Amino acid sequence: MLAAAVVMTGCGTTTGHTAHTPTATRTPTSQPTRSQPVHGLDGTWRPINSDSPITSLTISGTTATTTGRLACPGTLARIATAAPVLTLHCTSPDPDRTQGTITLRPDGTALVINWDGPKWGGALDSLRRA
């Protein structure tokens, strides 16, 4: 048993090299990639861009609510993907902000909503966690 401990710790090496002890193979943990789901959308978000008609966005599961000039209930779809879709159900819809794709910053502190629009692109709203 003592001999096994000496071999595993690399004792007796005089060449200055550190012995490498094999470790168990670890499978990668939740490193976000394009194919893995985005987590951490739940909470309240406030806009970074001052021209946004949204004062706050609150997300809980698949439901969302906005306040401000554009105060509406909404739903989230494809939340188990890297590109969840937010759809607002406003009584007075904003033609520039009806449906958009959410991109969450890897550290979870900010998100961007890329609203559907013309071919060149729609409106963008950048929000930080409140």
Side-chain angles (χ1 to χ4, degrees):
M1 185 91 120
L2 180 59
V6 169
V7 169
M8 290 182 68
T9 60
C11 291
T13 302
T14 58
T15 62
H17 294 10
T18 305
H20 177 30
T21 304
T23 58
T25 303
R26 294 178 55 184
T27 52
T29 54
S30 59
Q31 287 291 331
T33 64
R34 287 274 179 212
S35 62
Q36 291 180 333
V38 173
H39 298 289
L41 292 176
D42 284 359
T44 301
W45 303 86
R46 302 240 187 260
I48 296 169
N49 49 319
S50 61
D51 62 339
S52 176
I54 298 171
T55 302
S56 71
L57 167 66
T58 302
I59 298 173
S60 178
T62 59
T63 62
T65 305
T66 60
T67 63
R69 290 189 324 254
L70 186 61
C72 316
T75 55
L76 275 93
R78 298 184 350 198
I79 60 172
T81 70
V85 175
L86 172 63
T87 303
L88 296 180
H89 308 285
C90 305
T91 54
S92 298
D94 179 333
D96 295 326
R97 290 174 172 86
T98 302
Q99 186 173 58
T101 304
I102 297 174
T103 304
L104 182 66
R105 187 173 171 174
D107 66 5
T109 61
L111 61 80
V112 173
I113 305 170
N114 186 356
W115 297 101
D116 292 350
K119 282 185 176 182
W120 52 265
L124 291 175
D125 282 306
S126 299
L127 300 104
R128 283 194 187 125
R129 196 173 290 279

